[in-house]
């Protein structure tokens, strides 16, 4: 069914990383999901969900698509809705970046702002979902992709894992996957199981996210992590969860651009740092794949801005020094 720009979704490059982590005893590859036309891995579930809706009749002429997202899923849906001529209302909160608003508008999406967090919890995600439900009730012929629960989200990522498997002839010993809705994690895990692969899966979550338990804390880097446990989550999807701080995301991203010339988003930095955290547990002469979900242009005013980093974490030069001091002797910049 896919044609035009949507036919460019998927088949993203898998590149070998040889510079960013020193003295690796295993082969490290990165799946560059930024090369999807909408700039992130969320193009995949956005297209799968909307096309499933069109096939089943849940979406028809005049349907208004309504979803809560301040980031990549919103942009992915905006792209697919623009392609199919569907109206799209994206419910965002004050944490959305100006750049993402401009991108959403450029694709023709309508922006609906939630200004106040959920009373009592201070949480914006719950407030956004409530707003989506209100809009669905009051908008005739509306459709909610519901990315946190929609099985088409995870199904879209069977393809992600199939592509990795085909490129590496099925020989993937470890997969590192950032998590938020758990669509990527679940889709890849289901494919691994269905194919009888021996791949060990590491879920990468944010410190302060509740997906794998633990308290809900303030996080500054969007993308991975969630303040609710998504319905797509299942306890046995991963062999292990590795948690990464916002500061480590920044360090990871800056290492990636310095050493590999990859301008990646925050969760890619998180995945890199997660691999570094557990690299001594990775058997030598094995193959390890990291999924890098999006591109760094969306983080130029945050992760890649020295002024922003200074405001929130301190001097960049000091951060490097601290990192060098605490990191293993093998860490490189
Ligand atoms: C940059 C980024 N990283 C990671 C994720 C997590 O992916 P998933 O929702 O499939 O768990 C997302 C999801 O929006 C994302 O935008």
């Amino acid at each position: 069914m896919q044609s035009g720009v949507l036919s460019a979704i998927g088949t993203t490059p898998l590149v070998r990383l040889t510079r960013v982590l020193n003295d690796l005893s295993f082969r490290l590859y990165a799946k560059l999901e930024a090369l999807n036309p909408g700039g992130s891995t969320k193009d995949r579930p956005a297209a799968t969900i909307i096309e499933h809706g069109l096939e089943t009749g849940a979406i028809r002429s005049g349907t208004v698509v309504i979803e809560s997202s301040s980031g990549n899923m919103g942009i992915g849906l905006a792209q697919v809705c623009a392609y199919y001529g569907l109206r799209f209302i994206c419910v965002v909160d004050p944490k959305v970046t100006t750049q993402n608003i401009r991108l959403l508008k450029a694709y023709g999406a309508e922006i609906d702002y939630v200004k106040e967090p959920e009373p009592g919890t201070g949480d914006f995600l719950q407030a956004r979902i409530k707003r989506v439900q209100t809009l669905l009730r009051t908008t005739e012929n509306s459709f909610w992709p519901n990315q946190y629960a929609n099985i088409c989200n995870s199904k879209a990522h069977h393809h992600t894992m199939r592509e990795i498997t085909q490129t590496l002839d099925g020989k993937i010993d470890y997969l590192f996957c950032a998590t938020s809705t758990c669509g990527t994690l679940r889709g890849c895990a289901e494919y691994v199981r269905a194919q009888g692969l021996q791949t060990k899966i590491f879920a990468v979550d944010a410190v302060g996210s509740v997906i794998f338990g633990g308290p809900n804390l303030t996080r500054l880097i969007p993308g991975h992590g969630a303040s609710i446990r998504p319905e797509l989550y299942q306890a046995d999807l991963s062999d292990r969860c590795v948690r990464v701080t916002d500061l480590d995301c920044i360090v990871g991203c800056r290492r990636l651009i310095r050493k590999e010339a990859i301008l990646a988003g925050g969760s890619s930095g998180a995945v890199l740092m997660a691999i570094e955290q557990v690299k001594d547990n990775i058997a030598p002469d094995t193959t390890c794949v990291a999924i890098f979900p999006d591109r760094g242009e969306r983080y130029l005013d945050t992760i890649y801005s020295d002024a922003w980093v200074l405001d929130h974490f301190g001097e960049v030069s000091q951060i490097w020094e601290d990192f060098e001091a605490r990191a293993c002797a093998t860490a490189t910049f």
Side-chain angles (χ1 to χ4, degrees):
M1 192 173 179
Q2 276 181 0
S3 59
V5 71
L6 304 189
S7 67
I9 296 175
T11 326
T12 51
L14 189 68
V15 298
R16 179 103 184 250
L17 305 185
T18 54
R19 302 169 172 193
V20 72
L21 299 177
N22 261 1
D23 300 328
L24 280 188
S25 61
F26 52 89
R27 292 169 293 281
L28 175 59
Y29 291 87
K31 178 89 168 148
L32 302 182
E33 288 289 282
L35 274 295
N36 282 301
S40 88
T41 197
K42 299 303 266 192
D43 282 11
R44 297 176 188 263
T48 305
I49 289 171
I50 297 299
E51 290 183 343
H52 182 258
L54 289 166
E55 278 157 21
T56 57
I59 298 175
R60 42 199 196 281
S61 167
T63 295
V64 184
V65 176
I66 304 172
E67 181 60 298
S68 150
S69 168
S70 291
N72 290 325
M73 187 60 169
I75 295 165
L77 283 169
Q79 173 183 245
V80 181
C81 289
Y83 184 79
Y84 286 113
L86 295 164
R87 212 179 131 201
F88 172 46
I89 302 176
C90 192
V91 177
V92 304
D93 64 43
K95 291 193 221 161
V96 66
T97 63
T98 313
Q99 192 185 13
N100 281 357
I101 291 289
R102 290 172 68 191
L103 280 167
L104 287 164
K105 285 186 174 165
Y107 277 113
E110 294 165 43
I111 309 295
D112 189 280
Y113 277 99
V114 166
K115 294 194 182 70
E116 299 297 330
E118 184 67 5
T121 66
D123 186 47
F124 273 106
L125 178 53
Q126 284 171 36
R128 278 196 267 131
I129 288 172
K130 266 199 178 163
R131 176 66 185 152
V132 166
Q133 280 157 353
T134 304
L135 286 170
L136 289 167
R137 271 198 311 276
T138 53
T139 311
E140 220 178 287
N141 187 10
S142 53
F143 175 82
W144 183 22
N146 195 3
Q147 59 166 329
Y148 286 89
N150 193 326
I151 204 71
C152 288
N153 175 357
S154 43
K155 277 195 179 149
H157 290 290
H158 293 179
H159 292 286
T160 313
M161 195 62 205
R162 179 181 302 135
E163 290 166 19
I164 296 169
T165 306
Q166 283 172 351
T167 309
L168 294 174
D169 266 343
K171 296 185 195 80
I172 306 113
D173 300 291
Y174 304 93
L175 178 76
F176 284 76
C177 185
T179 52
S180 179
T181 64
C182 294
T184 315
L185 176 67
R186 179 155 165 180
C188 291
E190 283 173 350
Y191 187 83
V192 162
R193 268 189 224 142
Q195 299 298 311
L197 303 176
Q198 297 305 308
T199 313
K200 281 205 170 2
I201 302 183
F202 285 73
V204 179
D205 197 13
V207 170
S209 160
V210 307
I211 303 173
F212 295 87
N216 184 18
L217 304 172
T218 305
R219 292 173 285 115
L220 297 178
I221 311 283
H224 59 305
S227 56
I228 52 166
R229 176 171 282 168
E231 281 175 56
L232 289 176
Y233 167 88
Q234 289 173 337
D236 59 353
L237 294 175
S238 55
D239 295 276
R240 186 168 160 188
C241 166
V242 187
R243 288 190 178 81
V244 178
T245 64
D246 283 347
L247 181 57
D248 268 348
C249 289
I250 294 164
V251 172
C253 285
R254 285 171 174 246
R255 290 172 74 192
L256 276 173
I257 196 156
R258 275 199 195 185
K259 284 293 182 180
E260 304 280 357
I262 294 175
L263 181 62
S267 58
S268 307
V271 167
L272 177 76
M273 297 303 273
I275 296 169
E276 179 144 86
Q277 269 189 51
V278 300
K279 72 173 193 262
D280 293 342
N281 300 323
I282 294 184
D285 201 27
T286 53
T287 298
C288 176
V289 174
I291 299 177
F292 284 179
D294 71 349
R295 58 175 57 155
E297 280 93 332
R298 288 174 191 170
Y299 306 81
L300 291 178
D301 295 330
T302 55
I303 292 172
Y304 297 98
S305 157
D306 287 355
W308 184 85
V309 173
L310 175 66
D311 271 358
H312 296 280
F313 300 96
E315 278 289 351
V316 171
S317 55
Q318 188 60 48
I319 291 169
W320 287 136
E321 267 180 42
D322 292 348
F323 177 72
E324 265 174 333
R326 98 181 131 91
C328 32
T330 56
T332 60
F333 298 97

